[in-house]
Amino acid sequence: MSESTHHTIRRAAARPRGWCCSFSGVPDSPEHRALPSSAGGGAQKPPPPKSPLAPSFNSSPSSKLAGLIDPRRILSPGRVSPIDSEGSPAVAVGEAEDEALPRDQPAPAAGAAPFVAVREDEEEGGGGLDLRLSLRGRDGRCVVMELDSAVLRQSSAFFAGMVPDASGSGSGSGSGSGEGAGGKRIEVDGVDNLEAFKEAVELMFEPDAMRWLSRAGVSRAIAVLEVSSSIMFDKGIESCLKYIEAVPWNENEEEKLKHLFARCTFDESVCKDVLARLQQQDRSSSEDLTVQLVESVTSGTNNGARKELQSLVTGLLSKSSVYHKDLSGLNKGSLYQICRSCLSSLVELFVEDSRPVEGAGQSMTVSGSSKPMIERISKQTENLNWLFDILVNNDMAEDFVELWAKQEELIRMHEQASPMFRYELSRISASVFTALGKGRIQCPSDMRSQLFHGWFRPMLMDFGWLQRCSKGLDVRILEENLGQALLTLPLQHQQSLFEEWFRCFASRGTECPNLSRAFQVWWRRSFVRASVDVRR
C-alpha cells in the first residue's frame, strides 16, 4: 500500500489498535496488480485456489447474531477461511479483498484513494496485527479490518470460538502460512448495521471506552450496544449501558432502547439503572396520580400558572395525545367528585354574596380573604369549564349535563345576583349548550328539556355580558349551537322556548342571542310540513 494512503498515529495504549478499510472496489496498486502473463503470450497464471468453507457452528455463540447477519447464508453468521499456504502473502491479501468486494461494482479509477487506512504502531511487548476481519453488509458494502487476534478473542465470546489462538487451536480450521494480517482471516456476511459492527470491534481496542461513547452520542451507542450483545462483548455492553444511563435521551432514542430491551436480554446487574429510567419500578395507580394533578390545578391560587397547567393536563389526557393510549388513567367517579366540590364552592360564594353587607364595596370582597368575589367566582367557573372539556374529550360528559341541570339553588340565586357575578354561571351553560348543539354529548330528551327549562332564561339575560366579557368564548358559535341544541327537544317544548326568545329579542335586540335560523327551522317543521300532511 502506498505511503499516501497511510496515517501513522502513536498512542499510549498498552496494546496496538487494529486498522480497517472500507471500499467498493480494488485500486490498481502494486499490491493488487494482475499477475503478468507468460513471455510466450500464453494463458495468465490462475490465482491460488480459494479456501474450503469451515463447518457450521450451530452450537457456538454465533447463534446470538440473529438479526445482524443474514440467516440465508449457509455459514451465517461467519466463516473462517484460512489463506492457501502455497500462495504468497501479497496474493493472499489481494484474494481476501477481491472475495469481499461487491460483484456488481467496478474498481475505482487508477490513482484515486479508495479508502483511508489508520495504523497504530505497536508498543513494546504488544502483539501484532495477525488477523484480517472482513465484514460485508446486506447492501454489498464491505469493511476489512486488520486486528490483533488475541484482543479479539479476549473481548468477545463469539470471536473466541472462531479465531484460532497462537497454537492453532480454535473452532475454525487452522491458520495459513505467512506473517502479519495475511495469516488468519474471518469473514462475516449479511451484517445489518455495518458501521455499528465495525465500531463495536474498534471499541475493543479503545483504552477509554466512555470517552469514545461520549463523542459518538446516544444513537450510535445504542447501535453498538446491540452489536455488543450479539457478539457477547461484555465490556462493550457494560460501557454502553453505563454511558446511556448517564445522559439525556430524546423520544426517538427512548423508543430505540425500548425495542432493543424487548429483543435482547441483559444481565440485571448492569442494566437495572437504564431499566429504572425506561420502566416504572413501583407501579403506582395512574388514576390516583391523575386525580392529584386535577385537584392541584383546581385548588391553585396563581391564575397564570393554573391556566398553563390546565392546558398541560388537557393535552396529556386528550384521546388524541401520544401520551394517552386508553382511558385507564382517568377515573370518572373521581373527576365527578372534583366537579361536585367546585359546584359546592360556587354555591357557597353565591350564598355569601346574597347576604346583607355593611358598607360599600363589601359585596366585592369576602371577609377574611384578599381575593375579590368576582375573581373567586371566576376561578370556580373556569375550573368547571375545564373539567367539562376533559369529560367531553373522553366521552364522559353525559352525567355533567344532569348535574348542571339539577342546580336549582344556583338557578334561583341567579335571578337575585349581580349581573357581573351571575354571567359567570351562563359561561358554564354556554359550554354545555355548545357541546349539545355539536352532537358531542348524547343525553335523554327529558334531561335536555330540564337543562333548557332551568338555564335557557338565564342565558337570554346574560348574553350581553357574555359578548362584552367573552374570555375566549365565541358568541357566534354559541348562537348557532344553542339553536341546534334547542331543535333537539320535542316540538311542543321548542315552541314555548322560541316564544320566550322572540319576546326577549324583540325588546333587547343584540343583547339577546340571535336564534332566527333555528326559529325558521322550527316554524317549517311545526306548521308548513304539518299543513302539507293535513292536505294529504
Side-chain angles (χ1 to χ4, degrees), residues 223-244:
V224 172
L225 172 62
E226 182 173 6
V227 176
S228 300
S229 173
S230 299
I231 64 176
M232 289 170 283
F233 174 26
D234 294 338
K235 180 182 176 182
I237 294 174
E238 183 177 353
S239 299
C240 289
L241 288 173
K242 182 179 179 181
Y243 165 74
I244 290 171

Side-chain angles (χ1 to χ4, degrees), residues 383-429:
N383 284 338
L384 286 166
N385 270 326
W386 174 59
L387 291 168
F388 178 70
D389 287 340
I390 293 177
L391 293 170
V392 170
N393 290 334
N394 291 279
D395 303 324
M396 299 178 178
E398 289 78 8
D399 292 343
F400 189 93
V401 177
E402 180 179 2
L403 186 64
W404 186 242
K406 293 182 177 180
Q407 295 300 311
E408 298 177 357
E409 189 173 6
L410 278 177
I411 295 172
R412 178 180 54 80
M413 289 188 294
H414 178 277
E415 298 178 357
Q416 306 168 1
S418 168
M420 65 188 309
F421 296 158
R422 72 188 188 195
Y423 92 97
E424 292 284 352
L425 299 179
S426 291
R427 290 176 57 78
I428 301 175
S429 299

Side-chain angles (χ1 to χ4, degrees), residues 300-307 371:
T301 57
N302 186 296
N303 290 335
R306 190 175 69 252
K307 291 178 180 179
K371 298 289 186 181

Side-chain angles (χ1 to χ4, degrees), residues 515-530:
L515 305 181
S516 299
R517 294 178 60 183
F519 181 84
Q520 294 173 16
V521 174
W522 164 76
W523 184 272
R524 184 175 67 253
R525 290 174 179 174
S526 299
F527 302 108
V528 177
R529 291 183 180 178

